[in-house]
Amino acid sequence: MFGGMQRRIVSMWFPRLASDRSLRARPAEGPFALALTQENAERIHCLSAKAERLGLQRGMTMADARAYCPDLVSRPADLPGDSRFLAMLARWATRYCPWVGLDGADGLVLDVTGATHLAGGESALLADMRQRLARAGLSVRLGLADSRGAAWALAHWAEGIAPKGHVRDVLAPLPVAALRLDAPVCDALRRLGLQTVGALMATPRAPLARRFGPALMQRLDQALGDLPEAISPQAEAPHYGIRLTLPEPIGRTEDVMAGTARLLDRLCARLKAQDSGARVLELTLRRVDQASQTVELRLAGPMRDPARILPLFRRGIEAADAGFGIDQLRLEATLAEPLPPEQITRAGPARQGAALDDLITRIGTRIGLENVQRFLPADSHIPERSFLIAPAAFSRPEGAWVSPRPRPLRLFAPEPVTATAPGPQPPRQFRWRRMALATARATGPERITPEWWLEDAAWHSGLRDYWRIDTRQGRALWMFHTPQAPGWFVQGEFA
């Protein structure tokens, strides 16, 4: 009982959640299935009703499915996307009651105790759920009973409503799998002749508990309502938004900065309580004429230090048009990332790179964070592929630059040279970029072969022998010779 009322639970089961979600985004005619790689084989993860009527089943390999149904349309499954979609459905279901929880990967459970009369009764409540979900293109099975286990059993095995106080009568004809038991336990019970829940209830409990353990009796008691089962609703995501309404309009930059400072103190305190840091901040300036100006600040790293963040807003605030005055400020962290507490030492915070993040942010506010880039090492011995270029704000230095031989600081596309004797040994004299050069010292060779598993038109000529050529004119060049088509090229220059 709950506050003098009989507890009532609704179980929502979406038997084709993944396929329905995919078809909502991209409709497809004919049988449809989602594929997922399991046990080194591509198998059906979820399928449409039309595919089921053709005899296809979950777990079937895609090769067998296409043999049965050549017209089958398939796409790869998106498990994270399905989880996000189910969480969205849980938020939608709060229209019926405030207590909504997830039930596995394809179901919801709702505690509608005391709320069914708002929809006109239990039958009207389930009818409204079916109608709205069908209009959204989702197939659903619903069960309503006094306990969570009984509601789950009805949704999966006998869709409908169990009258109050009649859970035993409703569950008795259902198979033992309706108690949410593992498949081996269900098989063992069927071998003993216990096919239905009613037969299980009529059997003495002690022998069953000795043979199958306490989990069997626990599931039975949960379904009958003798053992309570909690429903855990999803926690609301923290909201990082602060508003400040001013008694008089302001327009000076310093006044707006002072108001922003007050908002930052409160926002950063909220971020600290969640061990998070802001990556993107939006300051909305509402004017007295109801027009708004937005100042966006994108940070190079998660921050929650008001003293560091406030100066970064000045450029955007100075460029904003205050009009006849600003009467409201709103600051929101539209993107936040985890930022655990830092160990403080005598020299300051243990985390390094805060000053660099501030510098990247300052430069990024002028030219864009994506245009501030850094080089990262890549696992390849091909010179052109030995590094990656990534935005500095969204990457961190990784690993060490390991090279068996020195590499030039300047690297460019191979440029041919004119040599008097284009043999395998470095030429004594050659011309490059209209300059006549003479070799003073040659170091090498370093032979580099193409990566045959990658397509690269520049390396179709085969292997290369690289040399460092120190010229009498003072230039240190990185040159290579191609034995397959004899010729010399310059690809880099040492400092």
PDB file of all heavy atoms in Angstrom, residues 81 162 178 259 310:
ATOM      1  N   GLY A  81      23.036   5.204 -29.430  1.00  0.00           N
ATOM      2  CA  GLY A  81      21.885   5.991 -29.872  1.00  0.00           C
ATOM      3  C   GLY A  81      20.578   5.441 -29.337  1.00  0.00           C
ATOM      4  O   GLY A  81      19.669   6.200 -28.972  1.00  0.00           O
ATOM      5  N   ALA A 162      -4.126  -6.140 -14.941  1.00  0.00           N
ATOM      6  CA  ALA A 162      -4.462  -7.076 -13.867  1.00  0.00           C
ATOM      7  C   ALA A 162      -5.317  -6.340 -12.849  1.00  0.00           C
ATOM      8  O   ALA A 162      -4.884  -5.312 -12.302  1.00  0.00           O
ATOM      9  CB  ALA A 162      -3.185  -7.608 -13.206  1.00  0.00           C
ATOM     10  N   ALA A 178       7.860 -15.724 -17.527  1.00  0.00           N
ATOM     11  CA  ALA A 178       7.269 -14.437 -17.194  1.00  0.00           C
ATOM     12  C   ALA A 178       7.759 -13.898 -15.866  1.00  0.00           C
ATOM     13  O   ALA A 178       7.495 -12.738 -15.533  1.00  0.00           O
ATOM     14  CB  ALA A 178       5.747 -14.553 -17.171  1.00  0.00           C
ATOM     15  N   GLY A 259      28.718  42.628 -13.535  1.00  0.00           N
ATOM     16  CA  GLY A 259      27.596  41.696 -13.444  1.00  0.00           C
ATOM     17  C   GLY A 259      27.985  40.290 -13.862  1.00  0.00           C
ATOM     18  O   GLY A 259      27.551  39.307 -13.254  1.00  0.00           O
ATOM     19  N   LEU A 310      36.842  35.394 -16.391  1.00  0.00           N
ATOM     20  CA  LEU A 310      36.272  36.724 -16.570  1.00  0.00           C
ATOM     21  C   LEU A 310      37.025  37.565 -17.600  1.00  0.00           C
ATOM     22  O   LEU A 310      36.379  38.175 -18.475  1.00  0.00           O
ATOM     23  CB  LEU A 310      36.213  37.440 -15.218  1.00  0.00           C
ATOM     24  CG  LEU A 310      35.601  38.848 -15.239  1.00  0.00           C
ATOM     25  CD1 LEU A 310      34.161  38.791 -15.732  1.00  0.00           C
ATOM     26  CD2 LEU A 310      35.675  39.485 -13.851  1.00  0.00           C
TER      27      LEU A 310
END
